[in-house]
Amino acid sequence: MTMSQLRRPDGLPSHLPADETLVMGVLNVTPDSFSDGGQHHELPDALAHGRRLLTEGAKIIDVGGESTRPGAPRVDEAEELRRVIPVVRELAAEGAVISVDTMRASVAAESVAAGALIVNDVSAGRADADMGREAARLRTHLGTPPVFIAMHWRGHSDVMNDLAVYDDVAAEVAAELAERLADLREAGVEDRFLVADPGLGFSKTAEQNWAVLSQWEQIAEHGLPILIGASRKRFVGALGVDRDQATAAISAYSAEHGAWAVRVHAVPPSLAAVTVGDRLRRSRGR
């Protein structure tokens, strides 16, 4: 994949632009997420924020009911379903393109039944052995399997920081993610519905995150659409500047390099940034 190419997965509505990097808005329905925990925990607040993200220009809303910040405890399945499903159902019924951020096959299945079109699994199926088979079996209201976002991941939040040991971080992240993608394919998930995510902030130090991000050829070697999720993360905050503005700079860089989407908390700055990045990428392509 060259720097001027952008790929999109199948299984999404035709009204989503095919030649633009999309902005995915984060909607955490949790009390303990690192950036916005507790702000949208109740249903009316969650729905209002989801609608606000759409009004601001997000093309996808990523709904999550379990924090994956370092050290966060896991919630049980019933609580995750209680948090997520009403939000997915209501926003999907209003026409929003919904992604569910979950590591549980059961939550993925219930979310797709409620209208979600995308399953965003930060563990790429490692946390739940049934996830790959379930993702291949499910059908969205469009009649296709859900898009499946597979992220590089080494372990749960309580141990992730202890696992940030690499000899060549960009190469090892790419190789480990390739193994997960192979397992998902073996479970029946087709390439045309797969998205790769290098997992910035997960089992990586600040320097390792920058090393991964700077070596785009390693991120792109899977030949799949790419999601970048850097928003407000610790390595961005360590720069000592406004996290949303710094995130927007990464969004511009990602769009210029052909990312399918960027996952962000603050939509307007990243929307402007990907517009610039897309324009540069298209000019380079010509």
Side-chain angles (χ1 to χ4, degrees):
M1 179 178 288
T2 68
M3 202 157 125
S4 62
Q5 292 176 309
L6 182 153
R7 285 196 57 193
R8 60 172 288 170
D10 287 348
L12 294 176
S14 59
H15 67 77
L16 290 182
D19 61 345
E20 299 174 11
T21 296
L22 304 181
V23 175
M24 174 188 284
V26 177
L27 178 50
N28 287 320
V29 193
T30 61
D32 58 345
S33 291
F34 77 94
S35 174
D36 54 358
Q39 294 181 22
H40 320 299
H41 187 40
E42 300 301 325
L43 181 58
D45 297 329
L47 295 176
H49 188 58
R51 292 165 184 144
R52 186 180 310 117
L53 293 169
L54 292 167
T55 299
E56 291 173 342
K59 299 297 186 184
I60 300 167
I61 304 298
D62 191 46
V63 180
E66 179 178 22
S67 175
T68 53
R69 64 175 173 80
R74 294 215 69 186
V75 300
D76 63 34
E77 176 185 354
E79 176 62 13
E80 187 180 359
L81 286 166
R82 186 195 69 79
R83 294 175 181 181
V84 166
I85 299 304
V87 180
V88 172
R89 181 179 294 115
E90 185 67 28
L91 292 177
E94 295 175 11
V97 177
I98 300 297
S99 165
V100 60
D101 180 356
T102 186
M103 292 181 279
R104 288 188 170 100
S106 58
V107 177
E110 292 289 339
S111 297
V112 168
L117 297 177
I118 302 169
V119 175
N120 181 12
D121 181 358
V122 299
S123 80
R126 287 187 65 188
D128 186 337
D130 293 330
M131 181 64 93
R133 291 188 298 273
E134 189 71 4
R137 181 192 68 81
L138 293 172
R139 292 296 180 270
T140 70
H141 69 266
L142 298 179
T144 64
V147 170
F148 191 90
I149 300 171
M151 194 192 81
H152 174 263
W153 183 88
R154 283 186 162 184
H156 286 290
S157 298
D158 58 340
V159 297
M160 70 164 69
N161 286 342
D162 298 329
L163 302 175
V165 180
Y166 303 86
D167 292 322
D168 182 337
V169 62
E172 289 174 54
V173 165
E176 290 171 18
L177 184 52
E179 291 177 3
R180 291 306 308 140
L181 291 168
D183 289 342
L184 289 165
R185 293 178 182 115
E186 186 174 348
V189 182
E190 298 179 58
D191 263 24
R192 63 195 183 104
F193 299 108
L194 277 171
V195 172
D197 178 344
L200 300 175
F202 288 78
S203 298
K204 299 169 188 69
T205 66
E207 286 303 317
Q208 288 166 350
N209 284 308
W210 292 114
V212 169
L213 194 55
S214 69
Q215 297 184 53
W216 194 269
E217 70 282 358
Q218 300 276 16
I219 296 174
E221 76 167 20
H222 308 292
L224 298 171
I226 296 164
L227 173 71
I228 296 294
S231 183
R232 297 181 180 173
K233 290 185 176 175
R234 187 177 302 174
F235 80 99
V236 176
L239 295 172
V241 297
D242 181 89
R243 290 195 186 203
D244 289 329
Q245 293 177 9
T247 297
I250 296 172
S251 294
Y253 168 87
S254 301
E256 184 185 1
H257 283 71
W260 163 68
V262 293
R263 181 183 182 274
V264 302
H265 296 81
V267 169
S270 277
L271 183 61
V274 298
T275 302
V276 172
D278 282 336
R279 187 65 183 82
L280 288 169
R281 175 177 46 77
R282 286 193 291 268
S283 292
R284 181 176 288 105
R286 284 197 294 270

